[in-house]
């Protein structure tokens, strides 16, 4: 049985989310801590398909929409990419991945997608998992080609 905890309904890979990985100093983590009055000790998320969600994702209209339609994820939706999914990337580089991810999921299934995502975000040198906005591995200094430059703060 494949563990799909980190397969978000919207097509994001929660396994590279800085909240999930608790990457202190990351711009998304800083934003979530501030918005929800959390500390690094109280920040916790186990992925979109679990009941242990960060407050930043507890009221997600995309997840709610897919669930209300009785869909396994947006990858199964005839309306994909709907307006909400198409607009996901505005202001967030990692959000631009969702249409490609959902298309891959639809065509190849969860097992293949999760394996490809795990490989995409892993440091090729030391195996540490990089998060969406890490361009260099903090453990060994290797460039992480999957990572995005963080927005100007
Ligand atoms: S905070 Fe949201 S995107 Fe990040 S791991 Fe949790 S559910 Fe996934
Ligand atoms: S309309 Fe379809 S693709 Fe758009 S959020 Fe709802 S389930 Fe996902
Ligand atoms: Zn490394």
């Amino acid at each position: 049985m494949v563990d799909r905890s980190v397969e978000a309904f919207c097509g994001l890979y929660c396994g590279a989310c800085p909240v999930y990985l608790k990457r202190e100093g990351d711009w998304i983590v800083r934003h979530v801590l501030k918005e929800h009055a959390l500390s690094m000790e109280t920040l916790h998320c186990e992925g979109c398909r679990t009941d242990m969600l960060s407050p930043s994702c507890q009221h997600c209209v995309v997840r709610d929409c897919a669930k209300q339609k009785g869909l396994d994820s947006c990858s199964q939706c005839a309306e994909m990419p709907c307006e909400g999914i198409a607009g996901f990337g505005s202001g967030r580089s990692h959000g631009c991945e969702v249409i490609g991810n959902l298309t891959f999921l639809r065509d190849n299934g969860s097992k293949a997608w999760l394996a490809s995502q795990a490989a995409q975000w892993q440091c090729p040198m030391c195996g540490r998992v990089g998060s969406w906005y890490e361009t260099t591995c903090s453990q060994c200094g290797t460039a992480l080609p999957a990572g995005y430059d963080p927005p100007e703060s």
Side-chain angles (χ1 to χ4, degrees), residues 5-145:
S5 304
V6 294
E7 179 192 328
F9 283 83
C10 65
L12 282 179
Y13 179 61
C14 292
C17 171
V19 173
Y20 176 84
L21 294 168
K22 296 192 85 161
R23 293 289 153 81
E24 193 165 7
D26 179 276
W27 74 274
I28 294 177
V29 169
R30 281 191 275 114
H31 176 76
V32 172
L33 294 182
K34 190 174 171 190
E35 280 289 301
H36 300 279
L38 296 171
S39 65
M40 285 308 291
E41 288 69 38
T42 55
L43 180 71
H44 191 67
C45 190
E46 294 185 3
C48 182
R49 286 175 188 270
T50 74
D51 294 327
M52 291 295 292
L53 282 172
S54 160
S56 53
C57 282
Q58 284 174 8
H59 304 288
C60 174
V61 292
V62 172
R63 186 201 293 105
D64 289 349
C65 181
K67 283 188 170 184
Q68 277 162 17
K69 287 176 182 286
L71 298 171
D72 184 60
S73 83
C74 293
S75 69
Q76 302 299 309
C77 182
E79 295 173 55
M80 196 280 285
C82 67
E83 199 177 326
I85 287 292
F88 216 79
S90 57
R92 305 181 284 183
S93 299
H94 69 284
C96 297
E97 297 196 344
V98 293
I99 294 176
N101 285 351
L102 290 169
T103 304
F104 188 107
L105 272 163
R106 182 194 64 202
D107 296 344
N108 301 282
S110 295
K111 189 176 176 187
W113 182 75
L114 287 163
S116 77
Q117 287 292 304
Q120 177 177 323
W121 295 101
Q122 193 171 40
C123 171
M125 194 59 72
C126 74
R128 178 182 178 275
V129 179
S131 61
W132 292 323
Y133 292 90
E134 285 180 82
T135 55
T136 305
C137 176
S138 65
Q139 187 161 270
C140 73
T142 298
L144 301 175

